[in-house]
Amino acid sequence: MRITLASGTRTDLLAVSAVVAALRGAGHEVRVIGPQVDQRSVGPELAAVLVAPHVTWEPDEDAARIRALAVEDLESAPPEVALVAGCSGVVTALANAAQRRGIGVVQLEAGIRSFDATSSAEANRRALTSLATMHLAPTSTAASSLAVEGVSPDRVRVVGNARVDVLVASRVARVPLVDRRGTLFAARTARTADRDRLDDLVRLLPWLAGAAGPVTLLLHARTKAWLEQAGLYEGVAALLGVRIAHSLPYDAVLRAVAASELLVTDAGELQEEASFFGVPTVVLRSSTSRTESVNAGISALTGLAPGDVLEAVARLGDRRERARIDGLPCLYGDGRTAGRVVEVLSESDVRRRLVPGGELASK
């Protein structure tokens, strides 16, 4: 089968690398569209599995140009199937172009929902649901969301989240509870110029250091730039009980998550990783697309009110609660998603749906 796989972000591209390898191993011809990823940003173990895109771009390139580039590639060499990963604008544009040409669309991570009507990512997820021929859901919760929205069950398969395949491939081990220390705070809010939110995050840091320190502040380069522009960075760097870690490679981030007693994230990221390593998480938002973690009591949505944050920190940091969370299996998969994707695409009824009345080029 000739497949074009589109991924709009570096995180998504890494997550689907195992899927690409499995598809190629099963005899499929896979063409990859995705962003440029520096191998040094993922670490040596994962650099070995990271797929190199045929069509790529630098992270800061114009979004409209990227979408046009992806669509042009699809139209110049039409595949039999378009496989889309994530919820970025480029992925949605490619799925739209594929549907217009009568190309079957398979959506990975189908059915993920934050139920945030203001989120562009949520709008893209719902658009992809309307465009997809087959929906590969990461969890039963995601599959249930698709059912509520009227997607026929025979067009849905639960395959797990490919990001867990990456976590297994990383070989980063779960750390025993007695050896974990402090809080990891992943700060990425300043991707937008939200000065009020930035001020609130900075004010939270001393509270966190006092309640659940020491705190390692995982600072994205753009977040640092905004802190510097706002005149806040030097004050953060001088805080007692707070250590800043700048733009770590992904494997180092995984080790930091695994070694922490608590994860605090301002953008909802790293929740799959936290579930994999059994680490409780405080999400400084009012919504999240990782509802499985909230439902299982692994994550707590708090917003930025200090009282709500500290209550969640105390509750999730309780010794018995940490032990309960550590004993749970990963909610997002078992590391075998790639193989399941191959199995789904080998099903005769799925193949007929994707290429109705046509002859598939290969497996």
Side-chain angles (χ1 to χ4, degrees):
M1 187 185 296
R2 295 191 315 277
I3 300 171
T4 290
L5 186 149
S7 173
T9 70
R10 288 173 288 182
T11 301
D12 291 334
L13 182 67
L14 177 60
V16 299
S17 291
V19 175
V20 173
L23 288 169
R24 288 173 175 167
H28 298 287
E29 178 186 332
V30 185
R31 184 171 179 82
V32 179
I33 298 173
Q36 188 68 40
V37 180
D38 186 338
Q39 291 189 346
R40 293 171 297 181
S41 71
V42 300
E45 290 286 349
L46 294 178
V49 301
L50 179 66
V51 66
H54 297 85
V55 178
T56 191
W57 55 86
E58 294 296 333
D60 295 326
E61 287 195 43
D62 177 71
R65 180 186 175 279
I66 293 171
R67 290 193 295 269
L69 189 69
V71 171
E72 179 184 351
D73 185 77
L74 178 108
E75 293 178 342
S76 64
E80 292 166 308
V81 172
L83 182 61
V84 294
C87 55
S88 66
V90 63
V91 164
T92 308
L94 185 132
N96 206 345
Q99 191 202 52
R100 287 199 309 268
R101 292 185 65 96
I103 297 168
V105 177
V106 178
Q107 183 190 8
L108 284 170
E109 300 181 1
I112 290 178
R113 296 290 183 266
S114 68
F115 305 101
D116 180 357
T118 67
S119 166
S120 60
E122 183 76 353
N124 286 341
R125 292 185 192 105
R126 293 181 181 273
L128 286 165
T129 295
S130 70
L131 295 167
T133 312
M134 288 297 301
H135 308 261
L136 305 188
T139 65
S140 58
T141 298
S144 296
S145 293
L146 292 170
V148 168
E149 294 169 17
V151 177
S152 175
D154 62 356
R155 295 172 56 206
V156 178
R157 302 289 188 277
V158 177
V159 298
N161 192 318
R163 186 173 300 193
V164 181
D165 293 31
V166 172
L167 297 177
V168 172
S170 75
R171 300 185 183 179
V172 176
R174 181 176 288 210
V175 175
L177 279 174
V178 295
D179 295 329
R180 300 180 193 177
R181 296 289 183 273
T183 295
L184 180 67
F185 188 165
R188 293 180 63 94
T189 280
R191 287 180 291 185
T192 60
D194 188 343
R195 176 58 193 267
D196 289 341
R197 186 170 177 83
L198 203 59
D199 287 339
D200 288 340
L201 287 170
V202 170
R203 281 193 288 268
L204 270 177
L205 282 169
W207 292 85
L208 281 174
V215 173
T216 298
L217 180 61
L218 184 60
L219 204 57
H220 190 276
R222 282 173 289 190
T223 314
K224 180 188 176 187
W226 277 112
L227 286 170
E228 290 174 334
Q229 184 175 329
L232 298 171
Y233 178 76
E234 289 187 4
V236 170
L239 286 172
L240 293 176
V242 177
R243 180 181 72 87
I244 298 177
H246 295 287
S247 298
L248 297 178
Y250 185 59
D251 62 343
V253 172
L254 295 182
R255 287 192 290 272
V257 172
S260 298
E261 294 176 298
L262 180 72
L263 170 68
V264 176
T265 171
D266 69 331
E269 296 174 331
L270 297 176
Q271 288 187 78
E272 291 96 339
E273 291 85 343
S275 175
F276 184 79
F277 293 117
V279 177
T281 304
V282 175
V283 182
L284 306 179
R285 295 274 176 177
S286 59
S287 65
T288 179
S289 59
R290 285 79 167 184
T291 54
E292 294 86 351
S293 289
V294 177
N295 294 339
I298 293 176
S299 294
L301 297 172
T302 64
L304 285 167
D308 294 338
V309 174
L310 294 179
E311 185 278 329
V313 167
R315 175 166 49 83
L316 292 174
D318 176 78
R319 178 176 56 83
R320 286 171 296 184
E321 184 65 1
R322 289 177 56 226
R324 180 190 72 82
I325 291 170
D326 186 59
L328 295 174
C330 180
L331 302 174
Y332 299 98
D334 56 8
R336 292 181 286 184
T337 294
R340 293 192 186 99
V341 172
V342 172
E343 290 172 2
V344 170
L345 294 184
S346 70
E347 295 178 24
S348 57
D349 61 328
V350 170
R351 291 155 67 89
R352 283 192 294 269
R353 284 182 182 275
L354 293 173
V355 191
E359 291 294 327
L360 295 174
S362 61
K363 294 185 179 181

